[in-house]
Amino acid sequence: MSDGTVSWRELWNETAERVGRPQARWMCEVASGADGTEFVANLDQPATERSVARLDAMLARLATGEPLQYVLGRWGFRHLDLMVDRRVLIPRSETETVVEVALQRARSMPGPIICADLGTGSGAIGLSLASELPLDGVTVWMTDRSSDALDVARANATGLGRAAANVRLAHGPWFEALPEELRGHLAVVVSNPPYVADDDHELEPIVREWEPAIALFGGTDGLDEIRHLAAEAPHWLRPDGWLILEIGSAQGPYVGELLRRAGFDDVEIAPDLHGRDRVAVARRRPAASGEAGGDLSQ
C-alpha cells in the first residue's frame, strides 16, 4: 500500500476493495490504534509509515488464510472486547447463547453464587458472567488445561474493571483444577468443551487448520469430554445447581439422555439463534432432607 501522505479514508477504501468494507474498517482501526468515533474523526489525517506497514502485514496474514479474528488480535463477544490469537478458540455467537442461559439460571438462584467456567479459553464465558452478574456475592472460577489459553484469559480479565475482583483462574483439566473445598458448592458449571468428532469432515478447513485442536476435538463421536463433565458435575454442584454445556447441533438427543442417566433433573436442549440444538441444560437433584449446600463463604 501507499504511504507518505495517504489518509486513513483512502486506506480504508483501498483495503475495502480487497477484503470488504466492514472488515477493512476493523483492520484500519487496529492499524491506526484508533477505534469508533476517534477513527472516524481521523479519516482525513495522514497515516504514519509505521501504521501503513502494520496494515500491510495484516493483509499479508489474511492472504495466507489466517482467520480475520486472529489477524486483528481481538474480537467482540457480548459486551466484551477480547484479545484472541491461535492459543484459543475464536469466540462465536453460538456461545453467546450459552452465556445467556447461564445468566438466567444464575440470576434465579439465592446467593452466594459460585460459578465455574471449565475450559475457559479466551475467558469469553467466565468474564461475561463476571461482568453481567452482580458484583456482590458472586465468584467466577475459570479453568483451562492449557497454560497458554489461561494466559489469554488472564490478559482479558485485566480489562474487566471492578468485576475482575470476582474472577479466579486455575490451571488444570476440568474439575481437577478447582480447590477441593468447592466440591458440592457450585451454583453453575458452564463449559464449551471440545465436541467435534475427530473425523468430522464437515468441519471448515480454516477451523481445523488454525484453531487449537485441544479445544475442538472430543473423540470418535465428539462426546468424550461431555461424558466426563456429566459424570463429575453432580459431585461439584450444590443441590439445585445447574450444568450448562455447549454441544454440537446433532448431539442434542445423545447428550440429553447422557445427562438423564447421570442423574440430572430438568434436562433441556436449547437452540441457538439459528434454531439449531446448541445448549444442554441440566439441574442437580434437590437436596435430600438434612443435606447442606450452597453456603460456602467466599
Side-chain angles (χ1 to χ4, degrees):
M1 284 199 171
S2 55
D3 56 12
T5 59
V6 65
S7 71
W8 280 110
R9 188 184 303 277
E10 292 170 304
L11 284 174
W12 184 6
N13 290 333
E14 287 180 38
T15 307
E17 292 177 3
R18 299 169 63 172
V19 301
R21 194 156 185 82
Q23 294 86 344
R25 174 166 176 170
W26 299 333
M27 295 177 73
C28 287
E29 286 185 344
V30 170
S32 68
D35 291 341
T37 56
E38 183 183 0
F39 175 73
V40 173
N42 292 333
L43 279 176
D44 294 314
Q45 296 298 314
T48 66
E49 187 173 335
R50 181 176 181 180
S51 294
V52 173
R54 185 176 184 187
L55 182 58
D56 284 340
M58 293 169 67
L59 285 165
R61 290 172 61 188
L62 201 64
T64 69
E66 186 172 354
L68 174 65
Q69 295 88 338
Y70 291 161
V71 171
L72 295 173
R74 57 193 280 193
W75 198 243
F77 183 86
R78 292 181 68 88
H79 308 294
L80 304 175
D81 185 18
L82 298 171
M83 180 185 87
V84 293
D85 58 32
R86 292 192 68 176
R87 293 174 288 180
V88 297
L89 290 180
I90 294 168
R92 290 174 167 83
S93 60
E94 293 88 347
T95 308
E96 296 193 18
T97 303
V98 177
V99 171
E100 190 61 40
V101 172
L103 287 169
Q104 291 171 1
R105 297 308 191 276
R107 288 167 177 158
S108 72
M109 304 183 73
I113 300 296
I114 305 175
C115 303
D117 169 21
L118 305 182
T120 192
S122 66
I125 293 175
L127 296 178
S128 292
L129 295 179
S131 66
E132 296 184 53
L133 288 172
L135 287 174
D136 295 332
V138 172
T139 305
V140 180
W141 284 84
M142 295 163 43
T143 78
D144 208 292
R145 71 180 65 195
S146 166
S147 57
D148 287 339
L150 212 58
D151 286 342
V152 175
R154 184 176 292 107
N156 282 323
T158 63
L160 201 61
R162 290 179 59 202
N166 292 343
V167 173
R168 309 287 185 270
L169 295 162
H171 178 235
W174 308 128
F175 293 100
E176 295 176 37
L178 296 174
E180 186 65 22
E181 59 264 27
L182 294 180
R183 186 181 289 269
H185 292 282
L186 299 178
V188 175
V189 171
V190 60
S191 181
N192 176 14
Y195 57 75
V196 179
D198 293 345
D199 62 350
D200 186 343
H201 300 297
E202 296 184 6
L203 185 66
E204 294 179 86
I206 192 173
V207 176
R208 185 181 293 273
E209 179 179 355
W210 289 94
E211 299 193 50
I214 191 174
L216 287 170
F217 299 108
T220 56
D221 62 357
L223 297 176
D224 284 359
E225 304 300 340
I226 291 176
R227 289 190 188 92
H228 177 77
L229 290 168
E232 289 295 315
H235 306 296
W236 289 85
L237 287 166
R238 77 192 206 189
D240 283 329
W242 292 93
L243 174 64
I244 299 162
L245 302 172
E246 181 168 332
I247 63 172
S249 59
Q251 294 173 337
Y254 306 100
V255 175
E257 180 58 27
L258 189 158
L259 292 169
R260 281 184 281 270
R261 290 202 310 267
F264 284 96
D265 287 340
D266 298 332
V267 175
E268 176 189 353
I269 304 299
D272 59 23
L273 296 176
H274 303 287
R276 299 174 295 204
D277 285 353
R278 187 61 60 193
V279 191
V281 187
R283 181 174 62 93
R284 182 189 165 189
R285 287 174 178 163
S289 178
E291 183 181 352
D295 59 353
L296 185 70
S297 60
Q298 297 181 64

